[in-house]
Structures are given as C-alpha cells and as structure tokens.
C-alpha cells in the first residue's frame, strides 16, 4: 500500500491536469469563434465584470467580511474614480504685462443734475427692453464665458468691466461682419451692443456670453488665459459696447467729428442697465485703447467723457 501511494498520487495529478487542459482547448476554440463579434462582446463582458465586482463588494459588506468602518463603500469608491486627486496642484496662469493703471475720467457726482435730462433718460431706461433690437450673428464670432482657465484655475465669469469701442465703418457693415463665419481666430469679432448714430440700440451678443471685442488685452493687471498657446484677454469678464462712427471718421486718423447726442443718451442707458445688473462701478468703464496691450487700438476716438458724465449722474450712477 505504501509503495503504490506515489503512483496513485501521480495518476491523480495527471487526471487533474487533463481536466484543466480540456477547458483551455475549448476556450481557445470558443475564442476563435467569437473573434468576429468582439466589438460588442468586450463592452458587455466589462459591464458584467463590474456588476460582479459590485455584487461581491456588497456581499462582503452584508456578510461582515473585513473591517467595514475602515474601508470606503462601493458607492464612495465609484465617486472617487471620477474625482481628481485632492492634492493635485493647479497650474499657474501667467500674469499680463505691466500696463498703466486706468484713471477714470468719470467723477463722483451727487448734485447739479439736470432734471429735464434726468426725466428723459429715466423714460429711455424704462423702455430699454423694447428698444433693444437683437440680431443673430455667426457662432464663430462669440462663445460661452469660461468658468476655468487653461490651467485648471476656477474663474468668475460675471461681467465686471465695460469696454467702449467704435465701429469705424457703418452699423450695417459691423453687423454683416458679425454674421460672417470666421474660421481664423484673428478674424473673429463681436460686441454685445452696437449704438447707431440715431441712437438705435442693437444687441449682437447676450451679456451672459463672451463677445470677442478685445484680443490681446488686460485691465488693471487682470486678464484670462483660456488657451495656453495664446496670450490672455479681458473678454471673459468684459461687456463690449460700440458706437457707430460718423462718416467723416471712416479712416485710421486720430479723430473725427464725434458722436451724436442720441448716442450718448443710449450709451448712458445701456451702461446704467448693466451697472444695475452686474458688479460694474463707474471706474470700470474703460476704452479699447486702454485695455489693448498691442498698442494698435485707438477707439473710441473723439469721445466726450463730459457728455457721459452728465448722463450717468442724471441716472444716479455716479453718486
């Protein structure tokens, strides 16, 4: 009996190995048969495996296996899979180049308001929703406001700056440009509001969206870098309004005859509306010339800050 034990043991091992090998051969055959269908079988198998894992985990929790209080539940594990590491460092966005601080020509004014002007502008402000003519422009010329910069840092997309522009050419020309698709980033342009010589107010971009009014730009040390390969801009936190240029200003010279009284009325009404809806103080109403870091912009030329001062004061926005 003792002398036959090793032989019996070898026989059992051979039989066991044969039983193990047979399923492998069958699996290879099955694999060749299923190969043409792997494009849908693999996702199905993954789903079944995950389901089995979840059931096994739940079974361990119900069965009391392990120290439940010392390990996270299945639900918590799944939540963690979608979270970035808590200690993952955010990238550091580059600061804009040094520029001169903005010194607003608008001054605090609580008295000396023209009552007739006040009544006229208050009536215009009340009728602004019906006066505002919205036009559709091409989606290539505007976008959503970013809530995160190119380096993963959170952003506040709330408008807090107004940039003044001029069209250089007629109102219709500007609208046609906005309606034209532009694949090249350098050609994409828009303003939130256009104001015609007759005081007509045209909304091209909703204030909640990002107009492409300023390219390489910053304001008092602030900009947003939304593409790591490009420089920053104020567009993500700015509102842009452009005045139609008079006919004698359709050139690249330094000045022209200026803007109409109807335009200053409409501009004051638009600004008062924005200042009431967003955290925009009078000191954050600036020009394209100031925010432009390339030194190529001069608009709005021939702008009369005293005309805007008296109107904003009449609307109670400088007190």
């Amino acid at each position: 009996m003792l002398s036959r034990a090793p032989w019996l043991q070898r026989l059992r091992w051979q039989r066991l190995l044969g039983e193990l090998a047979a399923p492998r051969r069958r699996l290879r055959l099955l694999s060749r048969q299923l190969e043409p269908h792997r494009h849908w079988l693999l996702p199905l198998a993954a789903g079944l495996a995950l389901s089995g894992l979840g059931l096994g985990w739940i079974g361990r929790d119900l069965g009391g296996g392990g120290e439940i209080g010392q390990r996270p539940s299945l639900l918590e594990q799944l939540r963690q899979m979608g979270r970035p590491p808590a200690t993952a460092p955010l990238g550091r966005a580059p600061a804009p180049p040094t520029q001169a601080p903005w010194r607003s020509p608008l001054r605090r004014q609580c008295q000396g308001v023209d009552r007739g002007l006040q009544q006229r502008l208050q009536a215009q402000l009340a009728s602004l929703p019906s006066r505002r003519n919205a036009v559709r422009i091409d989606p290539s010329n505007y976008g959503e406001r970013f809530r995160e910069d190119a380096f993963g840092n959170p952003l506040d997309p709330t408008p807090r700056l107004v940039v003044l522009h001029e069209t250089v050419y007629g109102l219709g020309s500007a609208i046609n440009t906005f309606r034209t698709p532009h694949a090249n980033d350098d050609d994409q342009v828009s303003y939130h509001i256009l104001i015609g010589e007759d005081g007509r107010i045209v909304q091209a971009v909703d204030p909640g969206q990002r107009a492409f009014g300023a390219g390489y730009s910053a304001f008092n040390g602030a900009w947003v870098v939304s593409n790591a390969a490009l420089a920053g801009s104020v567009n993500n936190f700015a509102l842009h309004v452009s005045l139609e240029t008079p006919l004698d200003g359709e050139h690249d010279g330094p000045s022209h005859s200026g803007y109409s009284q109807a335009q200053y009325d409409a501009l004051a009404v638009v600004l008062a509306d924005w200042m009431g809806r967003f955290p925009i103080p009078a000191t954050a109403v600036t020009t394209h010339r100031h925010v432009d870091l390339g030194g190529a912009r001069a608009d709005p030329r021939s702008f009369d800050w005293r005309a805007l001062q008296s109107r904003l004061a009449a609307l109670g926005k400088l007190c």
Side-chain angles (χ1 to χ4, degrees), residues 39-71:
H39 65 283
W40 63 269
L41 283 173
L42 286 177
L44 177 61
L48 291 173
L50 183 59
S51 299
L53 176 62
L55 290 172
W57 197 288
I58 293 171
R60 287 180 58 192
D61 283 349
L62 293 176
E67 297 294 331
I68 296 176
Q70 297 180 8
R71 59 182 174 82

Side-chain angles (χ1 to χ4, degrees), residues 301-314:
R301 297 167 296 170
S302 303
F303 188 81
D304 185 354
W305 285 97
R306 291 174 300 176
L308 182 60
Q309 168 85 27
S310 63
R311 287 164 171 80
L312 287 179

Side-chain angles (χ1 to χ4, degrees), residues 29 38 81 165 181 204 234 249 255-256 282 312:
L29 177 60
R38 64 183 298 175
M81 289 173 65
H165 304 257
V234 300
S255 63
H256 50 63
L312 287 179

Side-chain angles (χ1 to χ4, degrees), residues 139-174:
S140 64
N141 291 314
Y142 68 97
E144 297 298 322
R145 294 189 185 273
F146 293 102
R147 295 184 176 276
E148 186 177 275
D149 69 11
F151 307 93
N153 301 291
L155 298 172
D156 179 4
T158 305
R160 56 185 182 275
L161 175 70
V162 174
V163 182
L164 305 179
H165 304 257
E166 66 173 293
T167 61
V168 180
Y169 296 100
L171 196 67
S173 176

Side-chain angles (χ1 to χ4, degrees), residues 94-102 161 163 214-225 231-235 237-238 286-294:
T98 302
Q99 66 178 157
W102 170 246
L161 175 70
V163 182
Y216 179 42
S217 56
F219 180 74
N220 287 352
W223 69 359
V224 168
V225 179
S233 168
V234 300
N235 287 338
F237 55 88
T286 186
T287 64
H288 194 189
R289 177 174 186 166
H290 178 76
V291 301
D292 176 48
L293 293 172

Side-chain angles (χ1 to χ4, degrees), residues 63-145:
E67 297 294 331
I68 296 176
Q70 297 180 8
R71 59 182 174 82
S73 67
L74 172 62
L75 182 59
E76 182 61 25
Q77 286 287 316
L78 292 175
R79 286 174 177 164
Q80 292 291 342
M81 289 173 65
R83 296 176 184 168
T87 57
L90 297 176
R92 182 169 183 176
T98 302
Q99 66 178 157
W102 170 246
R103 299 187 184 281
S104 176
L106 297 173
R107 297 290 179 261
R108 179 178 172 83
Q109 182 179 348
C110 301
Q111 298 178 349
V113 173
D114 183 329
R115 297 303 174 188
L117 176 63
Q118 184 180 54
Q119 291 176 1
R120 184 175 82 240
L121 293 178
Q122 286 177 342
Q124 291 187 25
L125 181 59
S127 65
L128 178 60
S130 61
R131 288 183 59 195
R132 200 163 35 208
N133 178 31
V135 297
R136 290 188 177 183
I137 67 173
D138 190 80
S140 64
N141 291 314
Y142 68 97
E144 297 298 322
R145 294 189 185 273

